[in-house]
Amino acid sequence: MRKILAAGNWKMNNTPSQAEAMINELKAKVKDAKNDVLIFTPFVCLPAAVKAAEGSNIKIGAQNMHFEDKGAFTGEISAQMLKEIGVEYVLIGHSERREYFAETDDTVNAKVIQALKNGLTPMVCCGETLKQREDTITFDFIRSQIKIAFRSLSKEDALKVVVAYEPIWAIGTGKVATSEQADEVCRDIRECLAGIYDEETAANIRILYGGSVNKDCAAELFAMNDIDGGLVGGASLKVEDFSIICNA
Ligand code: PGA
C-alpha cells in the first residue's frame, strides 16, 4: 500500500546554518512520525541538511537539477553532484520553475529520466492555473503534463516517480483546494497513469497534493482515497506546524 509522504518545499528560504538547526529541531519531533518525511532544501543547504538528517527518518531532496550529465551549463547542478552528497529526491517541474525559469514539459521529462538514471527519486509537479480551471480544461491540461513527464519511462521506472498535484491558484495563496477537488484530480492522474501503464502500476505510484497545505487541513486531505501526502511550502518553514503535518 502507498504510505503517506509529507514533503516540505523550503523554496528560497534558510541558510545552511538555519537548515541545520531546523532539521535538528524537526528530527526530535518526527522521530516516530506516522508519515514518511522529506525536505527539499536550497542547493547550498543540502550538505548541512543531509548531515543533520543522518540516521533519522528525514529524507533530503533538491529543488531542481539539470538534465545533462555535465558540461558548459553555468550555474547548473547535475544529478551526479546531488547523488554524491547523499541527496535522495529531486523536485522537478515545480510551477515556479515553469513560470520563472522556462521549465517546459520536455525539460521535465528529460530531468525525470536523468534523475532515475542516477538513482534519485524524482517528484514531478503538475497543476493548472485558475484560468484553466475556469475554462474547464484542468483534466486535459494535467493529463498532457503527466503524459509528457512519463514519456518513454518503463513501468519499473514509473513506479519510482512521485507526482505532486499543485493547482497554481492554491500555491502560497492560503486558498487550499477542497479535499474533493484535490482528490478528484489525483484520481484522474491515477487513471491517466493506468492508461499509460496498467491499474496495478498506477495503484502503486504516490500522488501528493500541494497548495497551501497547513496543519489544520492536512489530515483531511491525506485521508482522501487518491491523495498520498502533501507537498508543503509555507507551513514547512515552521517546525511545529510541519511536524503536525508529518503526523497527520
Ligand atoms: P505553499 O507551497 O504550501 O506555500 O502553497 C506549496 C508549493 O509550492 O510546493
Side-chain angles (χ1 to χ4, degrees):
M1 241 351 254
R2 308 183 301 263
K3 191 171 172 196
I4 298 291
L5 171 60
N9 174 14
W10 284 358
K11 309 192 180 187
M12 197 173 73
N13 293 288
N14 292 328
T15 64
S17 62
Q18 288 167 336
E20 186 187 345
M22 265 182 79
I23 286 171
N24 281 330
E25 201 187 328
L26 182 68
K27 219 160 42 172
K29 289 193 195 293
V30 301
K31 67 175 183 342
D32 301 312
K34 230 165 70 186
N35 307 330
D36 285 342
V37 181
L38 165 65
I39 309 266
F40 292 103
T41 82
F43 286 128
V44 295
C45 296
L46 289 169
V50 167
K51 189 153 177 277
E54 219 169 40
S56 78
N57 55 337
I58 303 174
K59 308 270 190 212
I60 301 299
Q63 297 173 8
N64 179 36
M65 52 159 244
H66 199 268
F67 51 80
E68 293 288 354
D69 288 333
K70 61 178 177 178
F73 302 102
T74 303
E76 289 292 324
I77 300 284
S78 74
Q80 211 187 349
M81 294 172 195
L82 297 174
K83 188 72 188 167
E84 187 175 310
I85 60 166
V87 167
E88 294 180 75
Y89 283 76
V90 59
L91 199 56
I92 293 179
H94 188 281
S95 62
E96 285 150 19
R97 295 220 53 92
R98 294 180 191 252
E99 186 179 350
Y100 308 130
F101 303 99
E103 194 85 75
T104 66
D105 288 332
D106 287 320
T107 60
V108 166
N109 175 245
K111 289 178 181 193
V112 170
I113 291 168
Q114 181 71 352
L116 291 166
K117 192 177 102 183
N118 286 276
L120 295 167
T121 300
M123 184 183 292
V124 178
C125 302
C126 60
E128 82 285 6
T129 61
L130 186 58
K131 174 87 168 63
Q132 288 164 331
R133 178 158 281 264
E134 287 169 351
D135 290 345
T136 65
I137 57 166
T138 297
F139 293 137
D140 293 332
F141 178 71
I142 287 171
R143 277 179 175 254
S144 134
Q145 287 187 316
I146 292 293
K147 284 181 189 163
I148 302 174
F150 280 78
R151 188 173 54 206
S152 80
L153 256 61
S154 67
K155 188 156 81 175
E156 290 65 35
D157 275 345
L159 283 164
K160 296 176 192 150
V161 178
V162 180
V163 176
Y165 164 56
E166 297 202 302
I168 294 169
W169 49 271
I171 295 177
T173 56
K175 201 174 162 195
V176 196
T178 65
S179 310
E180 288 72 27
Q181 278 175 327
D183 193 50
E184 177 184 51
V185 178
C186 291
R187 183 167 54 248
D188 196 65
I189 292 171
R190 204 175 300 287
E191 278 166 18
C192 175
L193 290 168
I196 304 172
Y197 301 100
D198 52 61
E199 295 283 342
E200 196 197 338
T201 305
N204 283 295
I205 296 176
R206 286 208 274 205
I207 304 174
L208 275 47
Y209 164 77
S212 297
V213 174
N214 60 55
K215 64 175 174 33
D216 301 319
C217 67
E220 187 186 320
L221 285 163
F222 298 177
M224 301 304 285
N225 264 345
D226 284 290
I227 301 177
D228 307 318
L231 181 56
V232 186
S236 74
L237 296 170
K238 299 178 206 135
V239 174
E240 184 58 36
D241 287 20
F242 188 61
S243 71
I244 294 171
I245 295 169
C246 294
N247 281 293

